[in-house]
Amino acid sequence: MRNPSETDVKSARRVVQIFQLFAELRQPVPLSLVSKRLELPKSSCLALLKTLESNGYLYRLNDGKDYYPTRRIFNEARIITENDPLLSSMGSLLHGLRETTGETVYLAKREGHLSHYVEVVESDQPLRYAASVGEKRQLHIGAAGQCLLAAMPDDERDALIDELDLTKYSANTITSPAKLKKAVAEGKARGWYLSVGGYQSGVASIGGYVWINGEPYAIVVAGPTERIIDNEQAIGRAVAALCKRVTQLR
């Protein structure tokens, strides 16, 4: 659980901390443990838990000794996320980037060791990078993975890279943790992240990352290697500009 800021309202912070505790422990929790972790008297803590229970956010099990969240908070969070104005506006922003670059553009988020395509706007050129919403790719093979890794704290990123199965897909696939860490560092210094033939020969990608709903997303332009490399500076600047614009919209 994070440290409170001076502007936090105590009662609101404690409710947030309760759900953070469940997320951390991933199991039912008794009143005594909640009270200890929140450094709150049991009577006050019980009042919070009973309020959440009466409103349908918690239920009791193990003869009423332990509490655990219901799906209500998940369902409401999903509805909120699906109607987020920034996430909803990403479609038009990605179309704009497609028009600017002439190449396929996609939005991806990290799921464990994978990058997950959540939106795709394909180029209308006959020779183009083709992808579908819902596709998943290993983090080490493209610009999307580099972006999503770059968004992580340094120690967490390095630990995750060391865990990855760096399968070789093409001659240019990065198969060394040290080289992947170097590629991420070079992308950060460059201002955009670049992969050339990491998944298949003849395909390159350029990307950057933004934060939406507290989660990092990669915005990536992909296409035939020759076109991407010939226009790297223009594409990189366009991606960086869009990432900056999305950040300012938050």
Side-chain angles (χ1 to χ4, degrees):
M1 294 185 292
R2 72 172 182 83
N3 294 326
S5 71
E6 294 180 357
T7 59
D8 284 352
V9 176
K10 286 184 178 180
S11 57
R13 183 176 74 240
R14 285 166 177 161
V15 170
V16 172
Q17 288 175 328
I18 288 172
F19 286 107
Q20 288 175 334
L21 179 61
F22 284 115
E24 176 190 341
L25 299 180
R26 305 180 186 183
Q27 64 183 33
V29 176
L31 168 64
S32 59
L33 180 55
V34 179
S35 174
K36 179 180 179 181
R37 290 293 296 271
L38 268 62
E39 299 180 350
L40 190 66
K42 285 187 178 180
S43 58
S44 300
C45 194
L46 180 61
L48 281 173
L49 293 173
K50 284 188 171 296
T51 298
L52 291 170
E53 181 185 10
S54 66
N55 282 275
Y57 293 99
L58 297 180
Y59 72 98
R60 284 186 285 175
L61 65 168
N62 300 331
D63 296 326
K65 297 178 181 178
D66 298 332
Y67 290 84
Y68 198 76
T70 67
R71 291 184 61 83
R72 180 171 183 176
I73 188 170
F74 169 80
N75 292 335
E76 292 180 350
R78 177 177 52 80
I79 293 170
I80 291 169
T81 299
E82 289 175 350
N83 291 278
D84 179 84
L86 179 55
L87 190 56
S88 299
S89 71
M90 287 304 299
S92 62
L93 296 175
L94 297 179
H95 274 85
L97 184 59
R98 191 274 306 272
E99 295 305 311
T100 297
T101 63
E103 304 293 351
T104 295
V105 177
Y106 63 90
L107 184 71
K109 65 180 297 186
R110 185 172 72 87
E111 289 189 5
H113 292 183
L114 304 173
S115 57
H116 177 201
Y117 296 8
V118 297
E119 185 63 86
V120 178
V121 181
E122 283 198 9
S123 167
D124 56 9
Q125 300 193 65
L127 182 61
R128 64 183 182 272
Y129 176 71
S132 302
V133 171
E135 287 189 32
K136 297 179 181 181
R137 296 283 186 267
Q138 297 291 328
L139 287 173
H140 69 289
I141 64 173
Q146 292 181 30
C147 295
L148 296 169
L149 288 167
M152 299 176 67
D154 293 349
D155 55 344
E156 292 182 20
R157 174 176 64 249
D158 289 346
L160 179 60
I161 289 176
D162 290 337
E163 294 176 359
L164 296 178
D165 177 11
L166 303 179
T167 302
K168 188 178 182 65
Y169 290 92
S170 73
N172 288 344
T173 302
I174 297 175
T175 57
S176 160
K179 289 182 178 180
L180 183 53
K181 294 172 186 178
K182 181 181 178 183
V184 172
E186 289 175 343
K188 183 176 182 180
R190 185 190 301 118
W192 56 82
Y193 300 84
L194 171 67
S195 174
V196 179
Y199 181 58
Q200 60 189 86
S201 60
V203 175
S205 54
I206 294 174
Y209 69 85
V210 295
W211 290 84
I212 302 174
N213 297 328
E215 293 186 274
Y217 285 76
I219 298 175
V220 182
V221 174
T225 296
E226 185 175 353
R227 290 205 309 252
I228 296 294
I229 295 303
D230 286 348
N231 297 286
E232 178 188 347
Q233 295 296 317
I235 293 173
R237 287 194 294 268
V239 169
L242 179 55
C243 289
K244 181 178 180 180
R245 179 181 175 189
V246 173
T247 298
Q248 291 174 337
L249 289 173
R250 294 178 64 243

